[in-house]
Each structure stands twice: as structure tokens, then as C-alpha cells.
Amino acid sequence: MSLHIGAKPGEIAETVLIAGDPLRAKNVAEKMLENPLCYSQIRGMLGFTGTYNGKRVSIQGTGMGLPSTAIYLHELISDYGVKKVVRIGTCGSIQEYLDIGDVILATSASTDSNINRLIFKGMDYAPTPDFETLMRAHEAAKMMGIKVTPGPVFSADSFYNADPDHWKLWSEYGILGMEMETSLLYTVAAKFKVKALTILSVSDSLITHSSASAEEREKKFMNMAKIALSLVD
Ligand code: HPA
């Protein structure tokens, strides 16, 4: 039993969807999985295992930000033998052509976090997803008629940045959106030879300061979950 998840051996599937918000994890598990069983409630960071089209899958809340995500990922992989992790989350758009609700497949993750600088002794590592999982998600979205935009994202250490223009440099270099977890997910996955992909829906715009209604967020979140669940082996 691990410290923060505490599930019994065998209670977590080899493919896990992760969501920052544990209530989203619960919602997806209850709406999309057959026979979802809650294996953890420690710190309210809910985790569920059930089946989707007959295949076993888990959905785990991680909290927000790189350090919190790192704790859950580490335990999922080292203590429970997880082999594939698909993050379903939200981001703030920094490109004018992206609308609220658009779905992004994260092809790389830049960051202002120091975690990777420490690991890589001051040098830069380029965190990227598993190519096959990325291609499968792209194909699945096409089949389901869900428009997706593949492209680079930025994993920020702060949500509330003192500089209101902090995103502009990244926008100039083609980054699609700001979120807070993917650079860590892709790095940890690479180290432990695990497959990883982040799917994001645009919840707000740093350009226009508009944001999605709760209803819109919910609907788009389920679209992402459908793509993610199609990746279960
Ligand atoms: N910044 C960081 N993370 C986010 C944002 C944002 O603007 N919107 C949704 N997640």
C-alpha cells in the first residue's frame, strides 16, 4: 500500500486517466465506466477502477501543479505497475485561433518549473508524449468527430502570475495553452518507460479573459474522456 494512494495491490489498472480535480475523476468514472470502484479517498484525492468496453481502466485525481502530480504518478508507476497514463485536463489558451472548449493534444511541454533543471543538472530536457498514443488519440478523435489541435503547451508553476503579459513570449513561439502538469508527466513517464499523453480542453483565454461556463466545461471534459478511454489497451 502506498503512502498517498493506499490502494491494495491489483486494485489499479495498467492504464490510468489522471485529472487534477478529483471530483472530475469521480464524475468520469461514474458516467463512463462499468462497475466503478473507489480504491482511494486519502486527502479527498479520489481514485476509481472500472471497465470501459470490457477493458480495465482507472481514473485518479492528482491535485494541481507539478509537485502534487509527481507524488501520484510516482506511486501509480512504482507501487502499482501502471504502464500508460493519460492526463485529461484544462488549459488557458494563448493563441487567438483557439476557442473555449477546443481540445488540444499536447505534443510537448515547456515549463518555468525548476524540477527538470534539477534533474538534468541545469540543462534543458524536452518532454514529449508517447508517439503511438498521440497518433491513436488523433485517429480516435477523428473517428468520433471531435476536432483536436495537436501542439505544444506550457506547464506553469504559478496560476496567478505577477506579470500580466507573462504568456506573450510563449505565444510568440507557438505554444497553444497554459496548464500546470504536463512537463512533469512526460518526464516521469520517460524515466520509468511508461506511455503518456495529455489531452486538454481550453477552459479560458489569457488573451480575451473569457472562460467556459460550468456546463460547457462538463461537456468538453466528457469529449476528452471519450478520447482518453479509447486509448485503454
Ligand atoms: N494557467 C495555468 N493553468 C491553467 C490555466 C491558466 O491560465 N487555465 C486552466 N489551467
Side-chain angles (χ1 to χ4, degrees):
M1 291 225 286
S2 74
L3 195 58
H4 299 89
I5 297 179
K8 295 190 200 83
E11 281 189 323
I12 300 182
E14 285 200 350
T15 299
V16 179
L17 273 53
I18 58 169
D21 179 352
L23 290 181
R24 286 237 171 95
K26 180 172 189 272
N27 203 16
V28 172
E30 287 175 350
K31 286 205 171 120
M32 312 279 278
L33 301 191
E34 297 115 34
N35 306 316
L37 185 90
C38 181
Y39 58 73
S40 180
Q41 298 192 52
I42 298 174
R43 290 173 182 251
M45 207 58 79
L46 307 172
F48 299 82
T49 298
T51 58
Y52 183 76
N53 289 339
K55 293 175 186 164
R56 245 176 130 236
V57 60
S58 298
I59 307 182
Q60 172 69 51
T62 61
M64 290 175 279
L66 278 72
S68 181
T69 306
I71 290 170
Y72 293 97
L73 268 183
H74 193 94
E75 293 184 16
L76 286 171
I77 297 167
S78 334
D79 295 297
Y80 299 103
V82 166
K83 300 279 183 262
K84 185 187 286 188
V85 181
V86 182
R87 164 165 153 70
I88 45 174
T90 55
C91 71
S93 162
I94 57 170
Q95 296 295 339
E96 265 164 21
Y97 58 83
L98 285 173
D99 294 324
I100 303 290
D102 277 2
V103 177
I104 291 170
L105 303 179
T107 57
S108 71
S110 299
T111 186
D112 57 1
S113 159
N114 219 28
I115 295 183
N116 278 5
R117 287 275 167 85
L118 292 172
I119 299 172
F120 295 97
K121 303 180 175 29
M123 295 176 277
D124 292 324
Y125 172 73
T128 50
D130 173 62
F131 184 69
E132 188 224 334
T133 311
L134 172 69
M135 292 300 284
R136 269 177 69 179
H138 194 252
E139 217 30 56
K142 211 190 310 175
M143 299 279 288
M144 291 176 205
I146 301 167
K147 181 192 152 212
V148 289
T149 306
V153 303
F154 185 88
S155 303
D157 250 357
S158 358
F159 185 89
Y160 296 107
N161 196 306
D163 173 8
D165 293 331
H166 67 97
W167 54 272
K168 288 188 175 164
L169 172 67
W170 300 99
S171 174
E172 198 181 318
Y173 282 78
I175 301 289
L176 303 182
M178 299 263 162
E179 52 93 76
M180 302 182 74
E181 292 83 14
T182 299
S183 73
L184 184 281
L185 166 63
Y186 289 176
T187 305
V188 171
K191 176 168 169 66
F192 290 98
K193 313 280 180 285
V194 161
K195 294 181 173 184
L197 176 68
T198 287
I199 309 172
L200 300 167
S201 78
V202 174
S203 58
D204 53 278
S205 166
L206 279 81
I207 307 169
T208 62
H209 303 291
S210 56
S211 60
S213 65
E215 224 171 65
E216 207 173 356
R217 275 180 195 230
E218 195 56 37
K219 187 167 156 245
K220 298 297 176 181
F221 209 81
M222 285 301 161
N223 272 348
M224 275 192 305
K226 277 187 210 154
I227 300 172
L229 286 167
S230 78
L231 304 171
V232 182
D233 292 315

